[in-house]
Amino acid sequence: MDSIKRQVDQAPDNPGVYLFKNKKGKYIYIGKAKNIKNRLKGHLQQLKLDPKERKIFEESSKIEWIITKSDYEAFVLENELIKQYKPKYNVRLKSGSGYPMLVITDEEYPTVLISRKYGEIKGEYFGPFLPARTVRAMKDLIHKLFKLRTCDPLPKRDIVCFDYHLGLCSAPCVGKISKKEYSLDVKSAKSFLSGNVKKIIYELYDRIQDYTTKMMFEKAAILRDQITAMENLVQKQEVLGLPYEEADIFYFSGKKVLLIVVRGFRIVGKNFLDFKEYGLSDSFVDDVLTEYYGKGNYIPDIIIVNKEIGDTDNLIKWLSGKKGKDIRISFEIIQEIRNFIDRNYNFTEMSELKRIFKDTFEFDMSHRIEGFDISTLQGEYTVGSCVVWEDGSMNKKEYRRYRVKTVKGVDDYGSLREVLYRRFKKYKELDQLPLVLIDGGKGQLTQGLIVKDALGLKNLRIFAIAKKEEILYTDDGRQINLYESQELLKLFTKIRDEAHRFAVSYNRKLREKEGLKEVLDQIKGIGKKRKEILYRTYKTVERISQASEEELVKLGIPRRVAQNIKEYLS
């Protein structure tokens, strides 16, 4: 790390991009700055406060930089390099591409297609669809309601295909529908997808009257289905008449990011963004927006964010350039949207939670809380769990589970001491300690304090929470009735319940695994490796018994042994 610190001193006082590189030659973090040297010094100052900053420096063997003419050029270059190299410590969405949209194609007889990159297909775009799995169902619904052709490209044929008989296509390829009628179906589909259905509904009612007069009752029935679907769509909308036709709303709460999509003056989608990597806290908001729109997601006229952005001007310039017209970023979430969020989601503003915490306990709240619990079945399969709450949400990537090794029989206190000792040893390497929460009462708290003293962790704070009474026991001898503070009650019971769930699930998994192995030990030809293969694949005796002989053979089980398994379990 000393070598890296010396490289920081050699960095230029210019705008540009800097790249942390590990010993294998891979870029692990890429950033931008108006002044590269000052920004790198800022990273150094964060080493003791941010564990991720420390990891970046510890894993790096070299810092490279590229000087640019302006900070905007650095902004653009950073995004291109992150897209190219995918550094492990930059913000990365789990979705490898943009969220799916539907496209009504720009053709003589349009169809509806799915696209994950805005502009790759010529036509009118609708979406994105959140969650992503809904896009396929919506595409099928468009075919069912509006009969847009299912084939792509439009073929030339003499007879209709099977989709016509299924009622999924109006068969323009063989002239089963006029161009004028098909155009109305396309117009109706666009209105349905956009939510602007008022004008088209009147046109459909007029067409129904025309079909009825001409005794074309089958066509009139199709239009009635379309009208019913549109009316149901409007009735189901919880928030209508918003003051913007299209907008993306990003609501940040700790490491959670809720995206609300507004199209046609109404909410059409909502979902939490899912990340592989969260990046650094001081640039999290900026990085989420550039990562999301850098994947080809549609850029609306207005982007609304509930947190300040570090580089607003360059972000607006970059987004406007990608869209081809000026966009606006707002930091004001209107009351209708706030009410919608409050009704549907249980967010706690971190600033308010930290204030309540400090007022109650008289010290600053840690950004990380680790919860512990023990699970056993009459002294067998005793395990411990460690779950992690970090910056407002549970961080499942940091969960750890422990199988108790030194304690025999029923001894909850001894088991807890072992688990805590194994975990607390890791704390000696940290500059910033987490707050520890143990599932239990005074007795469990005492075990934590014993381990703390044994390892000399003077600054470690430990709480314990008793079930039912919801009393929080603190390491300075206080007893806090959590029912007197709903915010603290929600925080600590959430962590406690998750630690309990994680411990019980591990205990159950071990019991199932050992029970399965005991059964398999009775079958001739099943050794250690084959037991592991069967357990990893099937988990339970019942699922193995349901597997066919051929299926077992495909797993690498010899046919003779597969026959033994089927015979024993039949």
Side-chain angles (χ1 to χ4, degrees):
M1 190 180 289
D2 290 338
S3 171
I4 291 293
K5 290 179 179 179
R6 286 194 295 272
Q7 291 178 48
V8 171
D9 293 331
Q10 298 167 6
D13 296 307
N14 302 92
V17 174
Y18 54 92
L19 308 93
F20 284 84
K21 202 173 188 178
N22 66 13
K23 292 179 181 179
K24 295 180 180 179
K26 290 186 175 181
Y27 295 113
I28 61 172
Y29 182 76
I30 297 174
K32 64 179 182 304
K34 294 180 180 179
N35 184 309
I36 296 174
K37 178 179 281 189
N38 287 347
R39 183 70 181 102
L40 289 173
K41 285 183 176 178
H43 281 300
L44 282 174
Q45 291 172 0
Q46 292 293 316
L47 283 181
K48 290 187 177 182
L49 300 175
D50 190 338
K52 190 162 286 184
E53 293 267 17
R54 187 171 185 84
K55 284 182 181 179
I56 291 172
F57 275 86
E58 288 176 344
E59 292 181 25
S60 298
S61 61
K62 186 178 181 181
I63 304 176
E64 298 176 354
W65 46 75
I66 302 170
I67 296 173
T68 58
K69 295 177 182 178
S70 66
D71 60 312
Y72 177 68
E73 190 179 313
F75 182 97
V76 175
L77 179 60
E78 179 204 33
N79 283 294
E80 291 302 319
L81 292 174
I82 289 173
K83 191 184 300 182
Q84 179 179 351
Y85 293 112
K86 299 178 176 60
K88 65 184 287 189
Y89 289 118
N90 284 91
V91 166
R92 281 186 295 153
L93 288 165
K94 280 191 176 178
S95 174
S97 55
Y99 282 87
M101 296 168 280
L102 287 180
V103 188
I104 303 292
T105 58
D106 186 7
E107 300 173 87
E108 184 179 9
Y109 289 95
T111 186
V112 57
L113 301 175
I114 296 173
S115 172
R116 284 182 175 266
K117 185 176 181 181
Y118 181 75
E120 69 175 354
I121 299 171
K122 193 175 180 181
E124 190 169 344
Y125 283 72
F126 301 89
F129 286 85
L130 305 174
R133 63 179 179 273
T134 59
V135 72
R136 176 61 61 181
M138 185 58 76
K139 182 179 186 296
D140 292 343
L141 184 60
I142 294 298
H143 289 302
K144 184 177 180 180
L145 286 174
F146 305 104
K147 320 296 182 190
L148 300 194
R149 60 181 173 87
T150 54
C151 47
D152 184 47
L154 181 67
K156 292 182 179 179
R157 51 165 63 108
D158 298 323
I159 58 173
V160 296
C161 68
F162 195 55
D163 281 349
Y164 172 79
H165 296 293
L166 291 174
L168 301 175
C169 177
S170 54
C173 56
V174 294
K176 286 287 185 180
I177 186 171
S178 70
K179 189 172 181 181
K180 183 179 180 181
E181 290 174 318
Y182 193 88
S183 296
L184 179 61
D185 287 337
V186 171
K187 189 176 179 181
S188 300
K190 288 181 178 181
S191 296
F192 181 79
L193 287 171
S194 68
N196 297 323
V197 302
K198 290 181 180 178
K199 291 181 180 179
I200 194 67
I201 282 181
Y202 291 116
E203 192 172 341
L204 291 176
Y205 272 122
D206 290 341
R207 188 59 62 87
I208 285 177
Q209 186 64 39
D210 183 43
Y211 284 153
T212 304
T213 302
K214 296 177 180 177
M215 302 186 70
M216 301 168 70
F217 301 117
E218 188 175 341
K219 288 189 175 183
I222 291 173
L223 294 187
R224 285 195 190 92
D225 290 342
Q226 294 178 6
I227 290 173
T228 300
M230 291 182 183
E231 289 175 339
N232 289 340
L233 179 70
V234 172
Q235 290 169 6
K236 288 178 181 177
Q237 288 304 308
E238 188 176 348
V239 181
L240 291 168
L242 295 173
Y244 16 75
E245 184 171 2
E246 59 173 37
D248 286 347
I249 301 167
F250 292 85
Y251 191 91
F252 290 79
S253 180
K255 292 295 186 182
K256 283 188 175 181
V257 184
L258 174 67
L259 173 60
I260 299 174
V261 177
V262 175
R263 301 291 185 267
F265 306 99
R266 65 191 177 95
I267 294 175
V268 298
K270 58 189 184 297
N271 203 28
F272 286 99
L273 298 182
D274 206 0
F275 298 93
K276 286 183 181 177
E277 184 57 54
Y278 291 91
L280 300 179
S281 56
D282 64 345
S283 60
F284 181 59
V285 177
D286 300 53
D287 294 345
V288 166
L289 295 177
T290 51
E291 166 75 356
Y292 178 80
Y293 291 113
K295 287 182 175 294
N297 286 304
Y298 177 76
I299 303 170
D301 293 337
I302 303 172
I303 296 167
I304 302 167
V305 190
N306 72 320
K307 297 288 185 183
E308 288 296 320
I309 297 172
D311 200 354
T312 307
D313 292 341
N314 282 329
L315 182 60
I316 290 175
K317 187 176 179 181
W318 178 68
L319 290 170
S320 298
K322 289 176 73 68
K323 186 173 177 66
K325 61 180 286 191
D326 289 343
I327 67 103
R328 182 162 63 91
I329 292 180
S330 170
F331 300 98
E332 181 183 355
I333 296 182
I334 61 173
Q335 195 60 48
E336 294 96 317
I337 296 296
R338 287 190 177 278
N339 292 341
F340 172 79
I341 292 172
D342 290 341
R343 283 195 302 271
N344 291 279
Y345 301 97
N346 184 21
F347 285 122
T348 299
E349 279 295 330
M350 288 302 297
S351 58
E352 178 65 10
L353 182 58
K354 288 178 180 179
R355 183 193 65 76
I356 295 171
F357 186 96
K358 188 166 186 178
D359 288 346
T360 305
F361 301 108
E362 299 177 354
F363 67 92
D364 288 332
M365 180 179 177
S366 174
H367 81 286
R368 182 180 176 110
I369 302 174
E370 295 194 354
F372 295 85
D373 192 20
I374 298 296
S375 179
T376 187
L377 181 67
Q378 299 176 341
E380 297 292 328
Y381 312 109
T382 304
V383 299
S385 66
C386 170
V387 300
V388 177
W389 176 96
E390 201 169 43
D391 294 323
S393 60
M394 303 307 298
N395 185 354
K396 293 189 177 183
K397 291 194 296 185
E398 293 291 315
Y399 286 15
R400 297 293 182 269
R401 59 191 188 186
Y402 301 87
R403 186 161 189 181
V404 173
K405 302 174 181 178
T406 62
V407 178
K408 303 299 180 185
V410 180
D411 185 354
D412 284 350
Y413 287 169
S415 301
L416 180 61
R417 286 196 302 274
E418 178 189 326
V419 170
L420 293 178
Y421 186 83
R422 288 163 65 182
R423 184 61 176 174
F424 286 7
K425 281 197 300 183
K426 302 288 185 181
Y427 292 174
K428 296 174 75 68
E429 304 168 7
L430 302 178
D431 293 315
Q432 190 175 11
L433 296 174
L435 170 66
V436 168
L437 179 70
I438 303 173
D439 185 357
K442 288 183 179 179
Q444 282 77 9
L445 176 62
T446 300
Q447 309 314 309
L449 295 175
I450 290 171
V451 178
K452 169 188 170 179
D453 292 342
L455 291 170
L457 296 168
K458 294 181 180 180
N459 297 322
L460 181 66
R461 302 302 304 263
I462 304 176
F463 293 169
I465 179 173
K467 286 188 179 73
K468 295 183 181 178
E469 300 91 351
E470 306 299 11
I471 299 294
L472 190 74
Y473 297 93
T474 68
D475 50 14
D476 55 4
R478 299 170 64 191
Q479 296 183 24
I480 308 294
N481 183 351
L482 291 177
Y483 285 116
E484 295 177 359
S485 172
Q486 286 300 308
E487 298 302 333
L488 294 178
L489 177 68
K490 285 189 288 186
L491 170 67
F492 290 119
T493 55
K494 178 179 181 179
I495 298 168
R496 186 269 314 280
D497 293 346
E498 180 67 354
H500 180 72
R501 180 201 64 79
F502 194 52
V504 170
S505 66
Y506 184 37
N507 175 274
R508 186 182 299 118
K509 184 176 181 179
L510 284 179
R511 285 187 278 119
E512 289 173 353
K513 185 175 182 179
E514 293 301 321
L516 175 59
K517 286 184 176 181
E518 288 176 8
V519 172
L520 295 177
D521 282 339
Q522 309 303 315
I523 302 175
K524 189 175 181 181
I526 300 293
K528 183 177 180 181
K529 184 176 288 187
R530 288 173 186 162
K531 277 192 289 188
E532 285 298 324
I533 290 171
L534 289 167
Y535 172 72
R536 285 200 307 269
T537 306
Y538 297 106
K539 307 298 184 189
T540 66
V541 173
E542 182 182 2
R543 290 180 64 184
I544 294 176
S545 67
Q546 293 170 352
S548 67
E549 183 180 314
E550 291 301 323
E551 191 177 324
L552 294 171
V553 170
K554 287 178 182 178
L555 282 174
I557 306 294
R559 188 169 295 278
R560 175 180 51 80
V561 177
Q563 290 168 348
N564 291 343
I565 293 171
K566 297 302 293 180
E567 183 179 344
Y568 186 86
L569 297 179
S570 60

